[in-house]
């Protein structure tokens, strides 16, 4: 602990408790999960909330979601927080989604479709520009961007802007990006085990790392009861 | 009362220099005719470096530097430049007087809003200097006093005569600054008067007899002993400003400075009217020639929300100009406020409200659509139709007003579709490969739910008859696939299509 005490401090080394009270906001301990100072928005899944720093999605940090392919349940994972945001009357910005968001399904997840603003641009530079503008404006409660080819300096730039924002910022990237460095404080690798379970591995977070993936039972809302009954292929 | 006077000693050159791009200003001199002779009235920096100086005969100046650009003294153009600068000053006070080669503004009511005299003076100076004038500034409790102080100040400096220092500052000023003393300067110097203090010590009766009553009146008004009514500058009810450029400009970067000035003028005019602009036009005028038929390129900018914020308007204009191609060299610019409305000041809110959130959404929409085009930003409308491809429509967000937002709020939630639908829809159904009677996407698909029959659209030209299944592949993707069910044609074939993904 003596390494922490700078020469200007009194000779008697401060106890750990004293140091912690003195620099409460400026140091975080590596062994517990870091806390976010701001209002977090619960992810809606208990297991995930326990693993996320601060107990939910944090508005002041960039969240990277690494996805091997669309259709694993990524929207269902975000839907409880998105639902809460639209219910508060705030808007959601989608920047270049890979497919057309199908609003009847989003409505089924209780997300108000009138609160969705979608932007379709192709060039990566324009996408980044739109993301930046969205983060800087106070208009959105959540911003979701699809940026396959983003580089590390770009993520750093985004993360710096996000620090002052009041919206959740999610960035979807391909799973291959897990081996590239990124400035996002929270990186999550999504993978499917068996529908409707989603495996969530926190590659990077503030606080101690966890290696084991978390298994999240996705809401069965889009699937009525016949989900479990195995369908038979009449004409196959 | 508190007055700030802005004196522009180099106005006879500034009005034309401001029409050049900064890097291209040539050596110039303004001339004035005295009897038969033409004299240099003022020379700019590059000309001074060549040895051209004020009061030289023109012939001497041309022999020193033959390439000198000679501008005749043009009071009309000077007034025009000053008037444009006054528009910019309106942002800080509605009380502006045009006086000779400068402006006098009354600012006592604006002190608090702009954070004190020092700050206000700096902002005002900056706003007017941005219009391309070089200024010296005087501050005093009387209009005449401020004007005299400004005239005595060196270029780009401020003499602050507010408070107790005013009398002593005024007393030390030289007499030649007084307009009514001009015919008698020789005599006054002859009787040993140099400063205003000397003049004021003389008996008033004698002064009035020798030099007329005007000198005494001016002196008393400067000291504040006599009322000094002012005629405020009045501006027309519409805004239309035109700027001529002295060079043929072909790049957007070079018209940037004049554009900034014009926007500054418009915002000053707007704040004088307590208004905000809803729609404005920016017109690039091209020089007429037979080879190119374009006389002008108009640019109409509609705002989704009124604004009187110079920075915001500049940003919109910059995005639009950046996308535009300049078809021919530009020789003039014009800015017109087409539609204005009573303005509000959104900066006075303490906490962000839904109103301010709607404002920032509109600003965002404006920003994005001015850069990427209005088709890039959309909302999605749910339409009651069973066919997936017909059940939603992109809704342009270009002009969503506050009233719109509130009626959107009031509208009932769109018809809830209770059956299973995927979060992602393909742009067009994707035909899947079939291996051993099994559709393949990445890997052979396992059907886990279905079929659900959708048969609709017989009333228009796009009828569908499909059996939908939910399928899963080994990667864990959930797919929404269908098979054409076409009993009439009898080809109940193997065509499997991917329509959506369960995100």
């Amino acid at each position: 602990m003596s390494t922490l005490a700078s020469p200007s401090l009194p000779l008697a080394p401060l106890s750990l408790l004293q140091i912690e009270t003195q620099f409460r906001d400026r140091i975080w301990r590596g062994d517990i999960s870091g806390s976010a100072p701001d209002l977090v928005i619960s992810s809606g899944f208990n297991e995930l909330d326990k693993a996320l720093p601060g107990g939910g999605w944090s508005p002041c940090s960039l969240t990277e979601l690494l996805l091997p392919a669309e259709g694993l349940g990524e929207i269902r994972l975000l839907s409880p927080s998105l639902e809460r945001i639209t219910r508060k009357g705030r808007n959601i910005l989608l920047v270049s989604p890979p497919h057309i968001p199908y609003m009847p399904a989003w409505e089924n997840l209780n997300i108000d479709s009138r609160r969705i603003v979608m932007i379709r641009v192709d060039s990566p530079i324009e996408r980044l520009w739109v993301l930046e503008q969205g983060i800087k404006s106070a208009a959105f409660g959540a911003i979701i961007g699809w940026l396959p080819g983003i580089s590390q300096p770009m993520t750093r730039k985004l993360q710096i802007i996000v620090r002052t924002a009041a919206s959740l910022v999610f960035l979807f990237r391909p799973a291959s990006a897990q081996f590239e460095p990124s400035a996002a404080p929270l990186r999550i690798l999504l993978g499917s085990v068996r529908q409707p379970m989603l495996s969530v591995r926190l590659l990077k977070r503030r606080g101690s790392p966890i290696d084991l993936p978390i298994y999240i039972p996705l809401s069965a809302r889009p699937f009525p009861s016949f989900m479990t009954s195995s369908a038979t292929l009449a004409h196959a | 009362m508190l007055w700030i006077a802005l004196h522009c000693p180099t106005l006879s050159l500034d009005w034309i220099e401001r029409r050049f791009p900064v890097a291209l200003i040539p050596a110039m001199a303004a001339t004035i005719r005295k009897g038969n002779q033409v004299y240099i009235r003022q020379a700019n920096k590059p000309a001074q470096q060549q040895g051209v100086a004020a009061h030289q005969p023109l012939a001497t100046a041309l022999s020193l530097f033959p390439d000198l650009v000679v501008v005749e003294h043009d009071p009309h153009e000077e007034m025009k430049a000053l008037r444009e600068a006054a528009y910019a000053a309106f942002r800080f006070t509605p009380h502006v007087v045009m006086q000779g080669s400068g402006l006098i503004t009354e600012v006592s009511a604006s002190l608090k809003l702009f954070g004190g005299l020092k700050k206000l003076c700096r902002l005002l100076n900056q706003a007017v200097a941005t219009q391309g004038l070089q200024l010296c500034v005087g501050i005093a409790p009387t209009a005449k006093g401020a004007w005299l102080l400004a005239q005595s100040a060196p270029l780009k400096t401020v003499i602050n005569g507010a408070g107790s220092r005013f009398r002593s500052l005024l007393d030390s000023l030289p007499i030649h600054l007084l307009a009514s003393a001009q015919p008698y300067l020789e005599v006054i110097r002859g009787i040993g008067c140099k400063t205003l203090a000397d003049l004021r010590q003389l008996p008033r009766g004698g002064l009035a007899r020798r030099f007329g009553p005007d000198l005494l009146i001016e002196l008393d008004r400067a000291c504040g002993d006599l009322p000094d009514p002012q005629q405020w500058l009045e501006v027309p009810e519409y805004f239309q400003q035109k700027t001529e450029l002295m060079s043929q400009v072909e790049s957007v970067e070079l018209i940037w400075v004049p554009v900034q000035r014009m926007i500054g003028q418009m915002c000053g005019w707007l704040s004088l009217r307590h208004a905000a602009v809803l729609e404005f036009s920016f017109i690039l005028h091209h020089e007429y020639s037979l080879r190119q038929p374009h006389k002008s390129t108009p640019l109409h900018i509609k705002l989704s929300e009124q604004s009187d914020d110079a920075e915001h308007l500049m940003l919109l204009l910059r995005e639009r100009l950046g996308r535009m191609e300049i078809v021919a060299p530009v020789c003039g610019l014009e800015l017109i406020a087409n539609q204005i409305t009573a303005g509000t000041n959104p900066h006075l809110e303490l906490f962000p409200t839904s109103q301010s959130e709607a404002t920032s959404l509109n600003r965002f929409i404006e920003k994005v659509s001015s850069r990427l085009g209005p088709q890039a930003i959309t909302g999605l409308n749910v339409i009651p139709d069973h066919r997936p491809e017909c059940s939603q429509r992109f809704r342009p967000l270009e002009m969503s007003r506050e009233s719109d937002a509130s009626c959107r709020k009031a509208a009932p939630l769109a018809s809830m579709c209770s059956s299973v639908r995927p979060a992602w829809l393909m742009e067009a159904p994707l035909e899947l490969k079939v291996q051993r009677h099994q559709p393949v996407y990445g890997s052979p698909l396992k059907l886990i739910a279905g079929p659900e029959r959708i048969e609709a659209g017989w009333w228009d030209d796009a009828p569908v008859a499909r059996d939908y299944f939910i399928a899963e592949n080994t990667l864990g993707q959930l797919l929404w696939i269908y098979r054409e069910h076409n009993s009439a044609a009898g080809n109940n074939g193997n065509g499997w299509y991917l329509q959506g993904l369960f995100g």
Side-chain angles (χ1 to χ4, degrees), chain A residues 98-100, chain B residues 389 424-430 441 479 498-501:
Chain A
H99 308 290
I100 303 167
Chain B
E389 49 270 65
W424 298 122
L425 214 59
M426 299 311 214
E427 292 275 347
L430 182 75
Y441 185 75
L479 314 157
L498 173 64
Q499 177 114 50
L501 293 165

Side-chain angles (χ1 to χ4, degrees), chain A residues 67-77 88-91 93-95 97-121 125-126 129-141 146 172 191-196 218 221-224 226-236, chain B residues 315 319 356-357 360-362 364-365 367-368 371-372 375-382 385-389 391-392 394-395 397 405 407-428 437-439 441 447-453 467 469-470 472 474-480 483 492 496 501-503:
Chain A
L67 196 65
E70 280 83 34
L72 295 183
E74 63 275 12
I75 300 303
R76 275 171 286 160
L77 176 72
K88 274 191 220 154
R90 305 197 64 188
N91 302 298
L93 177 68
L94 307 178
V95 182
H99 308 290
I100 303 167
Y102 189 47
M103 282 307 130
W106 292 55
E107 294 271 4
N108 281 356
L109 294 164
N110 294 333
I111 300 168
D112 188 347
S113 67
R114 290 162 301 169
R115 294 267 161 222
I116 304 251
V117 176
M118 184 175 136
I119 292 183
R120 287 179 293 180
V121 278
I125 296 166
E126 299 289 0
W129 179 81
V130 169
L131 266 181
E132 278 176 31
Q133 297 305 319
I135 295 166
K136 279 181 194 159
S137 92
F140 301 102
W146 280 262
F172 276 107
S192 175
V193 214
R194 184 179 55 78
Q195 289 286 354
L218 290 175
R221 252 177 298 172
F223 300 100
F226 72 79
M227 171 74 208
T228 45
S229 70
S230 63
T232 48
L233 192 50
H235 303 283
Chain B
L315 200 136
E319 296 293 353
S356 64
E357 190 157 291
S360 51
L361 178 62
N362 284 342
F364 175 78
I365 293 167
K367 233 189 266 180
V368 170
R371 175 156 167 159
L372 304 174
Q375 74 287 348
I377 180 163
T378 50
L380 289 152
N381 263 7
V382 179
D385 194 314
H386 286 290
R387 291 167 291 178
E389 49 270 65
S391 60
Q392 67 176 0
F394 291 113
R395 160 175 52 94
L397 276 175
C407 77
R408 265 199 280 163
K409 237 171 270 168
L413 220 67
S415 66
M416 292 289 278
C417 183
S418 57
S419 40
V420 194
R421 290 292 174 265
W424 298 122
L425 214 59
M426 299 311 214
E427 292 275 347
H437 304 292
Q438 242 186 339
Y441 185 75
L447 301 186
I448 53 178
E452 180 194 351
R453 177 157 300 178
D467 283 337
F469 294 87
I470 298 170
E472 188 184 3
T474 49
L475 196 64
Q477 283 178 294
L478 269 192
L479 314 157
W480 202 40
R483 196 159 55 161
N492 210 345
W496 285 96
L501 293 165
F502 289 86

Side-chain angles (χ1 to χ4, degrees), chain B residues 59-134:
Chain B
T60 316
L62 283 175
S63 65
L64 280 168
F65 186 57
D67 292 340
L68 187 73
V69 177
V70 179
V71 187
E72 230 171 289
H73 173 54
D74 187 342
H76 177 71
E77 287 292 339
E78 285 178 19
M79 277 307 106
K80 220 179 116 200
L82 208 55
R83 215 180 154 76
E84 287 173 15
Y87 272 77
F90 280 134
R91 220 171 116 30
F92 304 97
T93 170
H95 301 130
V96 176
V97 187
M98 281 175 64
Q99 162 93 40
S101 56
L103 304 170
I104 311 178
T105 58
E106 203 283 308
V107 294
S108 55
S110 316
L111 290 178
K112 201 166 176 189
L113 181 62
F114 292 96
L117 178 61
K118 243 185 193 163
K119 231 176 184 173
L120 173 63
C121 179
R122 206 190 57 224
L123 288 172
L124 180 65
N125 193 357
Q126 212 172 15
V128 179
T130 314
Q131 297 293 321
L133 303 181
Q134 303 185 60

